[in-house]
Amino acid sequence: MKRMLMRLRAAFTPQAALLLAAALLLLALGGSLTDGGAQEDLESRVERTLSAMEGAGRVQVVIMTRAQQADSSAWGQEDGTAEVPCGAVAVAEGAGDPLVRIELEQALCALLGLPASAVSVVTGTTGGK
């Protein structure tokens, strides 16, 4: 158990910097998720990011959104409403490894600004998407 905790601690420090950079990139490149194309684009970018993580293998992501009153600082939108992420599911080939699953969950939370309770990572095959 102590060995596993040491491995987890070692994984968090470099990963935190990478996730922060990825989240900032998504915010900088992001726009409104009001149309399906933008949501699919976000899902594709998240899939590519998660698939690049060591041990993850292929990853497929579905992001659920909800309408939210937006001000000028939310997703770079004018005043009005915008679709914002409210939940996410990732199917990853490598999620059978508990450390990989934890890293994928943390990455999804960081990239989408979601709490851990709104994110699920499961093991499975992605069908070569």
Side-chain angles (χ1 to χ4, degrees):
M1 181 69 171
K2 185 175 181 180
R3 188 176 195 191
M4 185 174 184
L5 287 174
M6 290 176 67
R7 281 185 65 200
L8 287 173
R9 282 189 198 133
F12 291 136
T13 303
Q15 179 188 19
L18 174 65
L19 293 178
L20 180 59
L24 291 174
L25 178 64
L26 278 177
L27 286 174
L29 296 175
S32 172
L33 295 178
T34 55
D35 65 63
Q39 182 173 346
E40 289 176 8
D41 183 49
L42 178 61
E43 288 174 349
S44 294
R45 288 186 288 161
V46 171
E47 287 172 0
R48 285 192 306 271
T49 301
L50 298 182
S51 293
M53 293 174 64
E54 186 175 337
R58 288 188 186 159
V59 180
Q60 186 173 355
V61 176
V62 176
I63 300 170
M64 298 302 298
T65 61
R66 63 178 166 79
Q68 177 175 310
Q69 188 67 28
D71 59 22
S72 58
S73 64
W75 291 91
Q77 290 295 300
E78 301 295 323
D79 288 338
T81 61
E83 294 290 318
V84 296
C86 62
V89 174
V91 179
E93 292 176 341
D97 178 335
L99 182 60
V100 171
R101 182 187 305 250
I102 289 169
E103 289 175 343
L104 290 168
E105 288 172 352
Q106 289 176 339
L108 270 176
C109 290
L111 290 170
L112 300 174
L114 295 172
S117 61
V119 169
S120 179
V121 175
V122 296
T123 304
T125 58
T126 62
K129 181 180 173 190

